[in-house]
Amino acid sequence: MPTLCAPTTAPRTADRLTPLPLVAVCLGYFMVILDVTVVTVALPAVGTALHTGVTGLQWVVDGYTLVFAGLLLFCGGLGDRLGGKAVFLSGLAVFTLASAGCALAPTATVLVLARLVQGLGAAMMVPASLALLRTAYPDRAARARAFGIWGTVAGLAAGAGPVLGGVLVAGLGWRSVFFLNLPVGLATLFLTSRHVPHSPGRTRRGLDLPAQTAAAVCLAGLVTGCIEAGALGWAHPAVLGAFAGCLAGLVAFLVLERRSPAPMLPLALFRARAFSASAVIGVLLNTGFYGLLFLAPLYFQGVHHYSALRTGCALLPAVGVVAAGSALAGRITARTGPRLPMVAGLVVDAAGMAGWLVAGPDTPYLALVAPMACAGFGTALTMPASTAAVMEAAPGERSGAAAAVFNAARQIGSALGVALFGTLVAAGLVPGLHLAVGIGAAGFLIAAVLSARCIPGTGRAGRRTRGKRM
């Protein structure tokens, strides 16, 4: 039996999970995902304390997600070049220091800038975390279980964010949601340096900075256009200019990547149907789920006049089922492949999102418990399986880039969910909520169809199918 504290070798027992590498990686990942949603319930308090309006508060949420998503591809390549552990530890240090900056921010501008730096640290950590898990658990079944736990952590962090934020804001003030990262970050630094196996760099090729710049311009234009459309209108020249910049950045990115001898994003990865479909599914999944997590606190506080603490508690149904859904997804994926849990989870997600169509000024809270539970369970069932689908579809030497693509897709979805759904409620909270959840439900159903058609099937047959599609 391998020891738990060997820092430089992968576990020898292929079918058994050794806990400490998984604990270290997942603890850091929990902070990253938590900070996407933990500020949601705190936004009214932040706005009052720092004297900023709705647009400024949207940037507090999406500034983090924007940099996070925009740099994931670059940082995935960086992990392939320098090694996952070195990049993970560096990102963890950046993230922890930036969290201190957020907690001490005297103005909204400083808070947004610190959130941007937080996004940089998060972008360094996430693709490296998947590469480290792949190195630590070389057996396919053990790796699927590890990815299942990793996905459980993502779902728990996303769902727990509003709940934990409500508790912290009510008890200690809004700055405590960022101070929380300091002890957790220090503990993760210690565990990672001592117990996580090294993931050596596999390539010495360049980092493709021109393409990275084009990708950042593309994403920044998309998110900026969606956010500012709520205040300025969709036809405003500034909004149209942002979308034009997005299109120009996308075209430049594709041209640069096709011509580059060392592309940041090897476009050949998308020849695998499972890989390209999983990336699209990641966008659709997070657009709906994170958009709902952004709107639900606004609905409870703005329509039903809940306090921050009561709002956090009201969201518990979306959190309580996450652990069960993710654990079930890991087991099913290890035995049957990712298709079944993905299709089932996305259909449940669509039903949960559609259930929010009953939300109105006089809707009792109990009517929304089942929709919230469905949204949490469906997302938890889908996320670990889609992670496994992406990582199994990519060659080992591109594990960092593959993880970066998938997580970039998910974070793009998160940014779009907050930006688009937030814009839809600008003219009216309840009508905008209904339109947003209708769009989200449709997106989940499209993702379910993609999963059924493109993701590997069950058992050995599914593995043969995957090989043909690649």
Side-chain angles (χ1 to χ4, degrees):
M1 180 176 178
T3 61
L4 295 180
C5 58
T8 58
T9 59
R12 293 182 182 181
T13 305
D15 60 349
R16 185 175 298 173
L17 287 177
T18 55
L20 288 182
L22 186 60
V23 169
V25 170
C26 287
L27 194 58
Y29 186 48
F30 182 88
M31 284 198 306
V32 166
I33 302 302
L34 182 74
D35 269 54
V36 177
T37 60
V38 72
V39 300
T40 303
V41 175
L43 288 177
V46 172
T48 300
L50 301 183
H51 309 290
T52 187
V54 174
T55 300
L57 295 178
Q58 278 185 288
W59 278 113
V60 170
V61 178
D62 260 356
Y64 171 78
T65 310
L66 177 62
V67 177
F68 186 5
L71 293 179
L72 273 170
L73 289 174
F74 174 77
C75 292
L78 193 66
D80 287 337
R81 180 184 176 93
L82 302 179
K85 185 172 181 178
V87 174
F88 184 85
L89 285 171
S90 299
L92 183 57
V94 170
F95 186 90
T96 304
L97 290 173
S99 297
C102 291
L104 299 172
T107 66
T109 300
V110 174
L111 177 59
V112 171
L113 290 175
R115 290 281 283 173
L116 296 177
V117 179
Q118 262 193 324
L120 169 61
M124 297 173 71
M125 292 169 63
V126 171
S129 71
L130 281 174
L132 289 175
L133 289 182
R134 186 166 182 159
T135 300
Y137 306 107
D139 175 73
R140 183 175 182 272
R143 187 166 61 245
R145 291 195 294 273
F147 287 155
I149 295 171
W150 186 87
T152 302
V153 168
L156 283 172
V163 180
L164 183 57
V167 172
L168 290 173
V169 170
L172 300 172
W174 68 267
R175 296 181 188 274
S176 63
V177 303
F178 300 110
F179 275 127
L180 176 67
N181 291 332
L182 303 186
V184 178
L186 292 175
T188 306
L189 281 167
F190 173 78
L191 289 173
T192 303
S193 61
R194 289 289 301 274
H195 301 293
V196 173
H198 288 285
S199 176
R202 297 185 176 92
T203 178
R204 304 304 301 173
R205 290 179 289 185
L207 293 175
D208 204 4
L209 293 177
Q212 171 60 53
T213 302
V217 169
C218 174
L219 181 56
L222 178 62
V223 173
T224 300
C226 288
I227 288 178
E228 297 299 332
L232 302 177
W234 292 96
H236 192 279
V239 174
L240 295 178
F243 288 134
C246 169
L247 180 60
L250 176 61
V251 172
F253 176 78
L254 294 175
V255 171
L256 289 167
E257 289 297 87
R258 289 180 64 88
R259 294 180 178 179
S260 174
M264 177 179 64
L265 172 59
L267 298 180
L269 284 174
F270 290 94
R271 294 174 186 168
R273 291 180 64 188
F275 183 88
S276 55
S278 295
V280 175
I281 291 166
V283 173
L284 295 174
L285 177 67
N286 275 34
T287 297
F289 183 63
Y290 284 93
L292 180 61
L293 283 181
F294 181 76
L295 291 187
L298 296 180
Y299 170 77
F300 286 129
Q301 293 187 58
V303 175
H304 290 289
H305 307 293
Y306 286 6
S307 66
L309 179 58
R310 189 178 179 185
T311 297
C313 293
L315 295 172
L316 280 173
V319 183
V321 296
V322 167
S326 295
L328 180 62
R331 293 181 179 181
I332 296 175
T333 302
R335 293 181 180 179
T336 71
R339 180 196 294 172
L340 177 60
M342 289 177 70
V343 172
L346 288 162
V347 171
V348 172
D349 257 328
M353 188 69 77
W356 274 84
L357 290 171
V358 304
D362 302 317
T363 303
Y365 170 74
L366 290 178
L368 299 173
V369 170
M372 283 190 287
C374 286
F377 184 80
T379 300
L381 199 61
T382 305
M383 199 174 295
S386 57
T387 301
V390 163
M391 298 304 290
E392 293 294 336
E397 67 274 11
R398 286 296 185 182
S399 60
V405 170
F406 179 61
N407 283 284
R410 288 179 49 206
Q411 296 310 316
I412 289 170
S414 300
L416 280 178
V418 172
L420 179 60
F421 285 20
T423 296
L424 291 176
V425 300
L429 182 54
V430 172
L433 173 64
H434 290 168
L435 179 57
V437 297
I439 293 172
F444 285 139
L445 291 177
I446 292 171
V449 172
L450 283 175
S451 300
R453 293 181 60 87
C454 303
I455 302 301
T458 60
R460 296 178 181 177
R463 290 194 288 274
R464 288 196 298 269
T465 301
R466 183 188 65 190
K468 291 179 182 179
R469 288 176 178 172
M470 286 183 67

